[in-house]
Amino acid sequence: REQIRDLAAETDGLLVSLYLPTHRAGRETEQDPIRLKNLLTDAERDLVAQGVRATAARDLLAPARALLDDLEFWSHQGDGLAVFLSPAGMREYRLPVTVPEVAVVADRYHVKPLLGLLAGNGRFHVLALSLNRVRLFEAGRDTMREIDLRDVPESLRESVGYDWEQKSLQFHTGTAAGAGGRRRAVYHGHGSPKDDDKAEIAAFFRQVDAGVTALVGADRVPLVLAGAKYLTAIYRSVSAHPCVVEHAVEGSPDRSSPEELCARAWPAVEPRFAEDRRVAGERFEALKDKGGASGDLDLVLSAAFGGRVESLFAARGVQRWGRFDEASLRAESHSRRQPGDQDLVDLAVVQSLASGGDVFLVEPAAVPGGGVVAAVFRF
């Protein structure tokens, strides 16, 4: 959310936003740089149409053109790619969600396709807990990627040292000896540990929680724990993470694939996402005839710039091109996109986020009132 707000707040002349779906593997990956090349052609044409010299337009887009022949870059993609270009340079984001293929040149970055990453649209984290290995994942309804834990200890042994293994939980005495003649400890996680062992595990989990909270806690995205029941209970007792979900995925996660963990974790968070949208939708229906809510894009934009949007529904994949005058708070919509136009739906989203509003990116048919936006106002 903070990164999207930072992008949305940037104004430095004409800014270029490029989005394209990408592929993780297979022959389809060969099409991804071609898609980017086509988008760069569109962006250059738009820049020139808006008065930028051809040489300056090529210079602005040069960092993205350099990606076209970077085989290493294209071999490590997610489900989507976002590239943002300004006179100050380029930022690119590999995305765990699919995005539409679009190039936008305007005085603001186009950020609406990124909303699928926000909590209200089904984003959550899964923390797989075992004493042998801790893993953190970012997940959506059907996607999951592992997050690098950086300096966070990933095992109990790494946290408290080899000596504790000699007096700790059960481990396979028959495992093959490792370096130095030591046997690799494999903690079964059956039953409950002794009090001394609980203290060691709690100390380990405090380190893990501090690192995880520093990495992702500020996003206030739901965190689902996956692990043996006694381990998730200990973690809850020491955690300072603001959004640990009540229900956990029980059982050892060590033998589960990321996809299996995602599928088992989704039922723990789906009701929360559905409830937030349901409540906002009911408030819209209750207030739309009283002036407390509206689906009129002009009124929604005016309210968004005034910091009055409490919650906003926006249609996924739908654009309304035009311009908005902040001084008069009036919008000018165009049936066809013109040079200098921006997506007015995206603009409403940006301003609502900037003032702390909740934004739900939904399928067009799910927008209350039947329009492209629907907003509930604070006042």
Side-chain angles (χ1 to χ4, degrees), residues 209-293:
D209 186 69
V212 168
T213 301
L215 279 172
V216 301
D219 288 344
R220 302 195 69 82
V221 171
L223 175 68
V224 180
L225 304 180
K229 190 172 183 178
Y230 80 93
L231 290 180
T232 59
I234 294 175
Y235 192 92
R236 290 181 193 280
S237 71
V238 301
S239 178
H241 191 284
C243 299
V244 177
V245 175
E246 178 181 357
H247 299 289
V249 175
E250 293 190 4
S252 174
D254 287 348
R255 297 180 181 178
S256 297
S257 69
E259 291 74 19
E260 290 170 336
L261 289 174
C262 175
R264 295 180 63 196
W266 176 251
V269 293
E270 196 277 335
R272 175 180 298 196
F273 300 139
E275 179 66 10
D276 290 344
R277 291 193 296 269
R278 185 189 65 78
V279 170
E282 288 183 352
R283 282 183 54 75
F284 175 86
E285 294 297 335
L287 296 172
K288 66 180 181 180
D289 296 328
K290 303 176 183 178

Side-chain angles (χ1 to χ4, degrees), residues 107-361:
D107 57 0
R108 299 173 185 268
Y109 284 129
H110 182 65
V111 300
K112 190 175 60 174
L114 298 177
L115 293 187
L117 300 172
L118 297 184
N121 291 287
R123 177 174 170 242
F124 60 99
H125 293 119
V126 177
L127 182 62
L129 295 170
S130 82
L131 302 184
N132 303 305
R133 185 185 180 196
V134 171
R135 293 175 292 165
L136 178 65
F137 299 94
E138 179 180 66
R141 177 63 184 89
D142 300 302
T143 62
M144 179 174 279
R145 71 175 182 92
E146 188 164 357
I147 297 176
D148 183 1
L149 283 171
R150 302 178 186 173
D151 298 326
V152 178
E154 295 187 15
S155 69
L156 183 62
R157 176 173 176 174
E158 183 181 341
S159 173
V160 301
Y162 174 79
D163 291 341
W164 188 76
E165 293 176 3
Q166 309 307 308
K167 64 182 181 65
S168 64
L169 305 178
Q170 305 174 55
F171 61 93
H172 288 303
T173 58
T175 52
R182 292 175 175 172
R183 297 183 184 275
R184 181 174 60 88
V186 180
Y187 302 96
H188 294 295
H190 298 308
S192 298
K194 299 177 182 178
D195 288 343
D196 288 348
D197 298 340
K198 285 182 179 178
E200 296 285 3
I201 296 170
F204 168 41
F205 282 170
R206 284 192 186 93
Q207 291 179 286
V208 172
D209 186 69
V212 168
T213 301
L215 279 172
V216 301
D219 288 344
R220 302 195 69 82
V221 171
L223 175 68
V224 180
L225 304 180
K229 190 172 183 178
Y230 80 93
L231 290 180
T232 59
I234 294 175
Y235 192 92
R236 290 181 193 280
S237 71
V238 301
S239 178
H241 191 284
C243 299
V244 177
V245 175
E246 178 181 357
H247 299 289
V249 175
E250 293 190 4
S252 174
D254 287 348
R255 297 180 181 178
S256 297
S257 69
E259 291 74 19
E260 290 170 336
L261 289 174
C262 175
R264 295 180 63 196
W266 176 251
V269 293
E270 196 277 335
R272 175 180 298 196
F273 300 139
E275 179 66 10
D276 290 344
R277 291 193 296 269
R278 185 189 65 78
V279 170
E282 288 183 352
R283 282 183 54 75
F284 175 86
E285 294 297 335
L287 296 172
K288 66 180 181 180
D289 296 328
K290 303 176 183 178
S294 177
D296 182 275
L297 183 54
D298 285 9
L299 291 178
V300 170
L301 280 166
S302 178
F305 274 88
R308 297 193 294 115
V309 173
E310 174 185 292
S311 59
L312 175 73
F313 289 84
R316 188 194 311 273
V318 175
Q319 289 83 36
R320 287 293 182 269
W321 299 106
R323 302 181 185 185
F324 184 77
D325 186 341
E326 296 183 34
S328 65
L329 297 179
R330 294 184 63 85
E332 176 185 316
S333 299
H334 301 143
S335 58
R336 291 188 177 184
R337 183 179 173 189
Q338 300 179 9
D341 277 1
Q342 58 185 310
D343 179 6
L344 298 178
V345 178
D346 182 76
L347 187 59
V349 165
V350 167
Q351 292 302 315
S352 299
L353 285 174
S355 60
D358 292 323
V359 176
F360 303 99
L361 190 65

